[in-house]
Amino acid sequence: MAFDKRLLEVLACPVCKGKLVLADNNTQLVCRFDRLAFDIKDGIPVLIESHATALTLDEVDGTR
């Protein structure tokens, strides 16, 4: 099941409530402000802070 990109209009980072962007590989949602990546499992984003992956500045810059 693919992630529906229209959800980006209503989803927000659970930490800062900011905008999320879809990573280039289409498997994660990224919060650039908090430098966190949230996995997408079976088309469903896992927006749990303790399950997020911390990103470096270079990794954040690599997203759209």
Side-chain angles (χ1 to χ4, degrees), residues 1-60:
M1 175 184 234
F3 176 74
D4 187 349
K5 294 179 184 179
R6 294 177 294 175
L7 286 174
L8 289 173
E9 297 174 20
V10 294
L11 291 177
C13 173
V15 179
C16 71
K17 311 302 185 252
K19 182 179 177 182
L20 295 169
V21 295
L22 189 61
D24 291 337
N25 59 11
N26 293 331
T27 62
Q28 294 179 321
L29 294 178
V30 175
C31 174
R32 290 181 175 161
F33 181 78
D34 291 317
R35 294 188 310 188
L36 293 173
F38 300 92
D39 289 335
I40 299 172
K41 302 280 185 183
D42 298 323
I44 302 169
V46 181
L47 298 177
I48 301 171
E49 182 180 2
S50 61
H51 292 200
T53 304
L55 302 175
T56 65
L57 284 176
D58 291 335
E59 290 172 319
V60 171

